[in-house]
Amino acid sequence: MSKDPYEVLGVARTASQDEIRKAYRKLARKHHPDLNPGDKAAEEQFKAVGAANDLLSDEEKRARFDRGEIDAEGQERGFGGGGYRNHAEGGQGHFYGGGQFSEDDLGDIFGGMFGQRGGFRRRPQGPMKGEDRQYALTVSFIDSVNGGTSRVTLPGGATLDVKIPPGINDGQVLRLRGKGDEGFQGGPAGDALITISVMPDAVYTRDGNDVRSTLPIDVKTAVLGGSITVPTPAGPVKMNVPPHSDTGSVLRLRGRGVKAHGGQEAGNLYVKLQVMIGKIDTAFETFLKSWSPEGGQDDRKGDGAS
C-alpha cells in the first residue's frame, strides 16, 4: 500500500502549497539518482517523493484525497475492492462495453490522463514549464577561485558546458535556465540545477574571499631578506621577504585571492613563511660552532643560578 503523501513529504495536512513545493524540492534533490548513483533505496524514495508531490500539488486531487475519494496513487475508492475495473465488469459498467467511447471520450469521463509516476494527472491546460533537472559537478579549487568552464555529461551522452563563476562555494547550486526538460504545449523549458563540489587543494585553503598558503624559505632569505617567487591561484608572482623573518610570519599579497565578483572586491593571498635549514655546508657549520645568540649563554647560566 502506498504511503500517505503527507508523510512522504514530511508536511502537515494543513501545509500550504508553498510548503509542499519546498519540501518536495529539498527531498528530490536529496534522493535524486544523479546524486546517489547505484542507490536503489534513494531511487525508490525519489519516485515516492515525486508521486506524493504530483498528488498534493494538484489542489483538486489533494481535496479528493483528503475526503477519502482517492487513494495515495490517485485511484478511486468509491466502488469498493477493485476500483474502476470491478465497477466496469458489474451491471453498472456499460460505459466500458460495445465500443461506445473512444480513448478521448474515456479521458474526458475520468477528467485526465495517467501521469508518469502513476495515478491520474490532470490534462495540462495551456502552456506549462518543463521539469527541472538535477546534476552534480566537481570543480577544482583553482576554478572555484578564478572561475572557469566545466562540462556536465547529460543522460544519453550529450554534454553541457557550465560557466563556473569566481568565488563559488562547495555545495552551492547553479541554475541554468532553459536547460532542463522541454515544456508542454509551447511552454518554456525547465532549468538545470547543478550542485557544485569543490575539490580540496594541496597548496591553498579558502577563508571567505581570501586564500591562504604556506611557503618554505631558506635561512639566508629569512635572516637577510630578499625576493622570492610565490605561487598564487592566478600564477607565480615576485614577493619581497623582509629581513629577520621567522617561521610563522605571514605576508599579504593584495588582490591575489578570490577574483572580484558580484560587486565584491578581489580577496587577498596570505602566505605563511616556513624557514627550512636545507643542506648544511662546512662554512655554515663552522660559523655556528663559533657563534652564540646575543646574551644566549648568559641567559642559560642565569637560569641555573640559585
Side-chain angles (χ1 to χ4, degrees):
M1 180 177 294
S2 299
K3 293 184 178 179
D4 186 303
Y6 292 101
E7 295 180 2
V8 173
L9 294 182
V11 297
R13 290 184 173 270
T14 56
S16 65
Q17 285 296 319
D18 186 56
E19 291 172 328
I20 290 171
R21 188 182 307 109
K22 288 180 180 179
Y24 164 67
R25 289 179 177 176
K26 179 180 178 180
L27 293 174
R29 181 177 303 169
K30 176 181 178 181
H31 299 293
H32 197 285
D34 290 347
L35 302 179
N36 301 274
D39 190 337
K40 294 296 183 183
E43 183 178 349
E44 292 302 316
Q45 189 63 25
F46 178 76
K47 292 178 181 179
V49 167
N53 181 66
D54 280 349
L55 191 149
L56 297 183
S57 62
D58 186 311
E59 293 185 2
E60 182 176 338
K61 284 197 294 185
R62 179 183 179 183
R64 296 191 67 202
F65 174 79
D66 290 344
R67 293 194 298 266
E69 296 174 4
I70 59 175
D71 60 19
E73 295 182 349
Q75 303 293 336
E76 297 286 339
R77 286 174 169 168
F79 304 114
Y84 281 116
R85 178 59 58 190
N86 286 350
H87 179 65
E89 293 173 353
Q92 66 275 53
H94 63 277
F95 290 113
Y96 277 89
Q100 299 178 41
F101 295 94
S102 67
E103 291 182 2
D104 288 340
D105 292 330
L106 292 175
D108 290 337
I109 290 172
F110 296 126
M113 57 187 293
F114 282 104
Q116 294 177 346
R117 301 184 181 90
F120 285 99
R121 179 190 292 275
R122 290 174 60 83
R123 183 171 296 165
Q125 302 295 322
M128 292 182 62
K129 182 181 177 182
E131 293 288 332
D132 293 340
R133 297 284 294 178
Q134 300 272 354
Y135 301 99
L137 177 63
T138 299
V139 301
S140 68
F141 181 92
I142 299 300
D143 280 347
S144 75
V145 170
N146 295 331
T149 301
S150 294
R151 180 164 292 180
V152 174
T153 301
L154 308 178
T159 59
L160 179 65
D161 288 331
V162 180
K163 185 176 181 180
I164 307 301
I168 197 165
N169 292 303
D170 188 73
Q172 190 171 338
V173 177
L174 294 178
R175 178 183 293 271
L176 302 184
R177 299 194 180 280
K179 298 299 184 180
D181 290 347
E182 294 183 1
F184 300 95
Q185 298 184 8
D191 302 331
L193 303 178
I194 302 174
T195 302
I196 299 296
S197 295
V198 178
M199 295 179 61
D201 192 87
V203 176
Y204 307 108
T205 58
R206 278 274 299 273
D207 182 8
N209 285 333
D210 297 327
V211 175
R212 297 185 180 274
S213 67
T214 298
L215 185 68
I217 62 172
D218 58 50
V219 174
K220 181 178 179 180
T221 303
V223 174
L224 302 179
S227 177
I228 61 173
T229 299
V230 180
T232 79
V237 299
K238 292 288 187 179
M239 179 179 71
N240 287 321
V241 176
H244 306 169
S245 295
D246 201 353
T247 291
S249 299
V250 177
L251 305 181
R252 180 180 66 181
L253 288 173
R254 189 182 298 275
R256 291 289 178 171
V258 176
K259 282 191 174 182
H261 62 282
Q264 300 184 44
E265 295 182 354
N268 302 318
L269 173 64
Y270 291 92
V271 181
K272 179 186 288 187
L273 301 180
Q274 184 177 25
V275 180
M276 307 294 289
I277 297 176
K279 185 178 180 180
I280 304 297
D281 59 21
T282 303
F284 186 48
E285 193 172 44
T286 300
F287 165 74
L288 290 177
K289 287 178 179 178
S290 61
W291 172 81
S292 296
E294 184 177 348
Q297 294 295 330
D298 292 340
D299 289 343
R300 285 193 291 273
K301 289 179 181 178
D303 289 342
S306 59

